[in-house]
Amino acid sequence: LQTAVFKVEARGLSYQFCVGENEWNCKAFGNSQDASVLSSNIAGGFIGPFIGMYASSNGKNSKNKAQFNWFEYKAIADALRRSSSCACA
């Protein structure tokens, strides 16, 4: 059993996906993604975006399993209020 942490950093309408061995040691993978397509203005109405865990075998039969034992949401504003210093640019 391998453990991995997947993290999404959202800044405005830009999402960066990250992965690592723990929540303090994550590296970005891929390019930042434009989340404006999830907005009501672009989509032409509410599309109901949610944050949560999801795993798929892409429609193929599989004996693989994904186990999620932890999920945490931290708003950046909340994290900045609790922090005495910020490395944000």
Side-chain angles (χ1 to χ4, degrees), residues 37-84:
V37 297
L38 301 176
S39 74
S40 297
N41 294 338
I42 302 294
F46 180 69
I47 62 163
F50 290 92
I51 280 186
M53 305 303 294
Y54 177 80
S56 171
S57 63
N58 292 326
K60 297 179 182 175
N61 289 335
S62 175
K63 292 185 179 184
N64 293 332
K65 296 179 182 176
Q67 180 179 351
F68 308 109
N69 61 4
W70 172 59
F71 178 84
E72 183 176 356
Y73 170 81
K74 289 182 187 177
I76 290 176
D78 292 342
L80 291 177
R81 274 195 296 272
R82 289 190 299 261
S83 175
S84 58

Side-chain angles (χ1 to χ4, degrees), residues 6 29 78 85:
F6 294 95
F29 66 90
D78 292 342
S85 63

